[in-house]
């Protein structure tokens, strides 16, 4: 529900709201033959200052690394058979504390994960891999992978379709994080898919909605009471 979870960066959020998330990237429609792929990989590797190189395989595919930033507003859930991940340490006690039931926690802001993937790895598979890395058991349909770019002091976000190939986009865009970076966010471009939530989560959302409704009603009554008082004073 609106207002749940940590605050996001207000400036960037405001900028993102002004963008067209469906506008295709310049490189999205680019097609490369085998020779061009090989040349792009050489150019890409020559521009990076780390060992996160791309490699061309004999079958024509290629492998490499992508970095994904997790910008989740709502908490995620871990299974009862798992222990709370180390990222959760400090928020609810020692990291060795066992989980008795399904437990929810907030991933820290700025959480970043590097994934080694193939050129044919799909966006939906990247989401699945990220959830496995953090032992998150929420339905993958709750999340979406976005490409983020900066141009003329404006932030652009575009939701990737399930079948899109992030490593291909990384190669075409080059290594610059300003030109292209990947972000995992809640899948909220349109109607919320409530079927993807568990019964305990839905009951919790209902309680949150009730509290929000009660607070809005209290504020509304207070506003009208003040208005009524001002009118009576004027009379």
């Amino acid at each position: 529900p609106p207002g749940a979870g940590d605050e996001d960066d207000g400036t960037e959020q405001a900028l993102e709201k002004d963008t067209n998330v469906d506008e295709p990237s310049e490189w999205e429609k680019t097609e490369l033959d085998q020779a061009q792929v090989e040349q792009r990989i050489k150019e890409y590797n020559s521009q990076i200052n780390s060992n996160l190189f791309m490699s061309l395989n004999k079958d024509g595919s290629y492998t490499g690394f992508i970095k994904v930033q997790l910008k989740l507003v709502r908490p995620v859930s871990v299974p009862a058979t798992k222990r709370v991940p180390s990222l959760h340490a400090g928020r609810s006690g020692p990291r060795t504390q066992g989980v008795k039931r399904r437990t929810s926690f907030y991933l820290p802001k700025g959480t970043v994960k590097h994934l080694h993937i193939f050129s044919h790895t799909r966006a939906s598979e990247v989401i699945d891999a990220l959830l496995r890395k953090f032992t998150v058991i929420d339905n993958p349909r709750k999340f979406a992978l976005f490409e983020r770019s900066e141009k003329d002091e404006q932030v652009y976000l575009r939701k990737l379709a399930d079948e899109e190939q992030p490593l291909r986009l990384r190669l075409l865009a080059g290594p610059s994080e300003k030109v292209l970076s990947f972000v995992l966010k809640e899948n909220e471009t349109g109607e919320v898919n409530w079927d993807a939530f568990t019964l305990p989560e839905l009951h919790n959302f209902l309680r949150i909605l009730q509290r929000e409704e009660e607070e809005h009603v209290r504020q509304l009554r207070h506003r009208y009471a003040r208005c009524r008082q001002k009118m009576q004073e004027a009379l």
Side-chain angles (χ1 to χ4, degrees), residues 122-138:
R122 298 173 297 163
S124 59
E125 294 172 321
V126 169
I127 294 173
D128 290 339
L130 287 169
L131 298 185
R132 286 196 304 271
K133 291 284 186 182
F134 292 100
T135 66
V136 173
I137 58 175
D138 294 296

Side-chain angles (χ1 to χ4, degrees), residues 20-235:
N20 181 0
V21 295
D22 296 320
E23 184 177 345
S25 309
E26 294 178 3
W27 52 80
E28 186 187 355
K29 298 172 286 187
T30 304
E31 295 294 338
L32 301 177
D33 58 30
Q34 192 64 24
Q36 290 173 320
V37 167
E38 186 174 359
Q39 180 61 31
R40 288 282 187 129
I41 290 176
K42 289 180 180 179
E43 293 175 358
Y44 182 93
N45 290 339
S46 68
Q47 296 175 46
I48 62 175
N49 299 318
S50 66
N51 60 348
L52 303 179
F53 298 111
M54 289 197 190
S55 301
L56 184 64
N57 302 319
K58 292 181 179 180
D59 62 0
S61 66
Y62 50 96
T63 57
F65 294 85
I66 62 168
K67 183 174 76 173
V68 183
Q69 182 181 13
L70 282 70
K71 295 183 64 176
L72 302 177
V73 176
R74 297 195 181 101
V76 294
S77 301
V78 295
T81 57
K82 298 289 183 182
R83 295 188 180 275
V84 177
S86 59
L87 284 172
H88 191 40
R91 291 202 176 194
S92 65
R95 68 180 66 189
T96 57
Q97 179 180 349
V99 181
K100 295 181 180 179
R101 294 185 298 273
R102 180 187 181 104
T103 301
S104 297
F105 68 98
Y106 288 98
L107 282 171
K109 285 184 178 181
T111 298
V112 171
K113 189 67 180 177
H114 284 87
L115 293 176
H116 187 251
I117 62 175
F118 286 91
S119 53
H120 53 74
T121 302
R122 298 173 297 163
S124 59
E125 294 172 321
V126 169
I127 294 173
D128 290 339
L130 287 169
L131 298 185
R132 286 196 304 271
K133 291 284 186 182
F134 292 100
T135 66
V136 173
I137 58 175
D138 294 296
N139 193 311
R141 290 183 297 167
K142 292 183 184 180
F143 309 95
L145 191 65
F146 289 80
E147 65 171 26
R148 179 186 184 278
S149 59
E150 299 178 30
K151 185 178 180 181
D152 300 327
E153 299 184 354
Q154 176 70 62
V155 175
Y156 294 86
L157 279 179
R158 185 182 70 87
K159 177 184 171 183
L160 297 185
D162 289 344
E163 301 299 319
E164 289 193 68
Q165 301 163 334
L167 190 63
R168 174 181 172 273
L169 295 175
R170 178 80 280 165
L171 177 63
L172 292 172
S176 171
E177 290 290 314
K178 284 193 174 183
V179 175
L180 172 69
S181 62
F182 295 107
V183 182
L184 184 73
K185 304 182 71 169
E186 279 86 5
N187 187 11
E188 293 183 339
T189 55
E191 291 294 324
V192 176
N193 182 14
W194 297 112
D195 291 336
F197 293 87
T198 64
L199 283 177
E201 288 175 318
L202 291 172
H203 284 303
N204 188 47
F205 289 158
L206 286 173
R207 286 193 293 269
I208 293 173
L209 284 174
Q210 182 177 354
R211 288 198 295 268
E212 290 181 352
E213 181 183 11
E214 290 171 353
E215 177 60 21
H216 282 301
V217 170
R218 187 192 66 79
Q219 292 178 2
L220 190 62
R221 286 176 174 168
H222 179 69
R223 190 178 72 183
Y224 275 92
R226 288 189 60 187
C227 183
R228 190 177 297 109
Q229 180 183 359
K230 295 291 185 181
M231 293 174 68
Q232 288 174 346
E233 290 174 357
L235 289 171

